[in-house]
Amino acid sequence: MMMGSLPKDAACPRFKPGPKTFTRLPWLLVFMADKWMLGPKMRRALPRLAEAVRATPYRDLENWSETDLLAAIDRHYRLMREVAYYNVMGPLMMGMYNRVLQSQLKKQGVEFTNFDLTESMPEIQDYEPGTHLRRLHAQFRALPPAAQEQIRRAAYADFQQMTNLGDFPASVAALVERFGHLSDNGNDFSAVPWRERPEMVLKLVTEFEPGGEEKGQKVRYADLKTSPLLNLFYRRAREFRLLREQVSGLYTHGYGLFRYYFLALGEHFTRRGLLDAPEDVYYLTFSQVRNIVNGQEQADARPEVARHKADIERFRDILLPTIIYGDEVPPVREADMGVLSGIPTSIGHYTGKTKVVRGIQDFPKVQKGDVLVVPYSDVGWTPLFARAGAVVAESGGLLSHSSIVAREYNIPAVVSVEGATRLPDETLVTVDGHKGEVLIHAV
C-alpha cells in the first residue's frame, strides 16, 4: 500500500490512533529519522560492501578443505545479510518517494509514467546490460560482413584470439566480466551465470535486437512549476533510483558467489562417494551440507538427492501461490486437485484426512490429527478441537464458535464452505487458513 502497488480504486485500510498509539510515538520518530537518513547511509555503505564482494575469493578453490569452504560460506553469508538489508530497504524507499512525487506531479496534471525522472543521469545506464549490448551490437554491425560471419561461426575462445577485429573482442570480454554474474534467475545460485557461458553472451551481442524508441517526449523537471516539496521528493526519488540499481547489481553479484563454494564442497562429497556429481550438492539443504562437513552425517546422500529431484519434477507444473505468508511453506496446489472455498478464520496450513461430524454420535470416530468437518459447531463440540488438526465448517464466520475455538487451539480453520460435509470420511485434504481454501488431493 505504501509503495502504491494496490490496484486502482482498491479500498485502503484506515487507522484511527488511540492512546496506546502515542506511547509508541518516540519509537516511531526514531524509526522515521533512521529511514529518512537511509540514502546517506547507503551511499557510505555500498562502496565498502562492493569492495568486500569484489575481494571475495571464488576461483581456484580445489585445494580448500571442507571446513575452510564452510567457514568462507559463513563469512560471505554475514556480508550478504547487510547487502540484502539495503537491497530490500532501497527499493522500498524508492517506491515510497516515487509515490509522493507521483501525487505532486498529479497536482500539475502530469502522469508519473510520462515524467523523465532519470534526466541527465547517464550513470544509471552503466548498470543496465541492455545499454552495453546495444553499444556492442552497433560495433559488431560496423564490422565487414565477412568478419561478422566469421564471429558467428567461431567458438568464444577462438573469437578472443582474432586479431582483425580491433578492440571488439576485448569489449565483449569486458562485458562478460562486468555482467558475468547474471543468470536466468538471480535468486538461484545454482543457475549457470553468464561468465560460465561466454558463447551465449557473444550470441546476445551478435543477435541483439534494439527495442523501438519511445514515442513522444517526456515531461522534464524544468517544465514543471517547482516548489520546495516537489524539489525535495524529486531529488530523493532520483537518488534512490540510482541506489536501487547499484544495490541490486551488488546483491546479484555477491549472492551468485555462493555457487562456487557449494560446488567445491560438492567436489569433496563426490570424491567421498556421497554424491554422483558435484552439482548434486544443490539438492541438499544447507543444514545437511553443514552436518556432512561437521561429521554429523556420513551416510550416502544420493537417496536424499534423488528424493529432492523427484519432488522438483513432481511440482514443476503446480499452480504457484499468489501470496506466501511468513516462513511457513504454503500448500502445493496441483492441477488435478479439487478445491472448496470459504472464509479463512484461523491462519495456518494443515494436511490430513477428514472426519465428518454431524452430531454427538460421530464424536468417537475423530482421531488425533484428523481434519474435523462439521455443519456448524456449538460449545458441546469443544472437546473435538483438542484432537483435530484443522477445522472445516459449512457455516459460520469470524466470530462463530468453531472459528474462536480454532484460534484458541492454534489450528487452521475455514468456515462457510459449501458442501464440506459431503466429503467422504478419510478424504485427504489440505486446509489453507490463509486463503480460505480446502484442497482435495487426488486418490
Side-chain angles (χ1 to χ4, degrees), residues 139 156 159-163 165-174:
Q139 192 174 347
Y156 183 79
F159 160 70
Q160 284 295 314
Q161 299 301 317
M162 294 180 181
T163 58
L165 304 176
D167 62 353
F168 183 61
S171 298
V172 174

Side-chain angles (χ1 to χ4, degrees), residues 290-309:
R290 185 182 295 278
N291 288 341
I292 292 174
V293 173
N294 292 335
Q296 296 169 317
E297 290 185 18
Q298 296 294 335
D300 188 349
R302 286 175 288 196
E304 188 72 4
V305 168
R307 184 174 69 83
H308 288 162
K309 286 182 177 181

Side-chain angles (χ1 to χ4, degrees), residues 154-268:
Y156 183 79
D158 296 332
F159 160 70
Q160 284 295 314
Q161 299 301 317
M162 294 180 181
T163 58
N164 60 331
L165 304 176
D167 62 353
F168 183 61
S171 298
V172 174
L175 175 70
V176 173
E177 180 66 23
R178 174 70 177 80
F179 294 101
H181 57 277
L182 298 180
S183 67
D184 292 342
N185 188 343
N187 290 312
D188 178 6
F189 57 73
S190 71
V192 180
W194 286 13
R195 66 167 67 93
E196 296 179 30
R197 303 170 63 189
E199 286 84 3
M200 181 273 298
V201 179
L202 180 59
K203 189 173 182 180
L204 285 176
V205 171
T206 59
E207 299 183 3
F208 182 77
E209 295 183 6
E213 297 294 328
E214 293 186 8
K215 296 181 179 180
Q217 187 173 3
K218 289 193 172 186
V219 177
R220 300 177 305 155
Y221 183 70
D223 301 327
L224 301 175
K225 182 180 179 182
T226 60
S227 67
L229 192 62
L230 176 64
N231 182 53
L232 171 63
F233 287 102
Y234 170 70
R235 287 187 287 105
R236 285 294 177 106
R238 284 165 60 88
E239 175 186 32
F240 275 94
R241 173 62 190 278
L242 177 59
L243 289 172
R244 192 278 302 269
E245 298 297 331
Q246 292 173 335
V247 73
S248 177
L250 178 60
Y251 175 79
T252 305
H253 183 185
Y255 181 75
L257 298 183
F258 282 116
R259 169 181 177 80
Y260 302 100
Y261 294 119
F262 282 99
L263 268 180
L265 283 172
E267 293 278 2
H268 282 275

Side-chain angles (χ1 to χ4, degrees), residues 6-26:
L6 283 177
K8 189 176 181 181
D9 300 325
C12 295
R14 297 187 179 277
F15 170 69
K16 183 178 180 181
K20 194 173 182 179
T21 307
F22 294 98
T23 65
R24 305 286 193 267
L25 191 57

Side-chain angles (χ1 to χ4, degrees), residues 125 256 271:
Q125 301 301 320
R271 288 196 294 269

Side-chain angles (χ1 to χ4, degrees), residues 368-409:
K368 185 72 174 177
D370 284 340
V371 174
L372 179 62
V373 181
V374 297
Y376 59 88
S377 71
D378 202 83
V379 177
W381 298 34
T382 301
L384 293 177
F385 287 75
R387 306 182 210 166
V391 177
V392 178
E394 280 193 331
S395 62
L398 281 168
L399 299 180
S400 64
H401 177 263
S402 55
S403 300
I404 294 171
V405 178
R407 291 193 291 268
E408 290 175 353
Y409 278 90

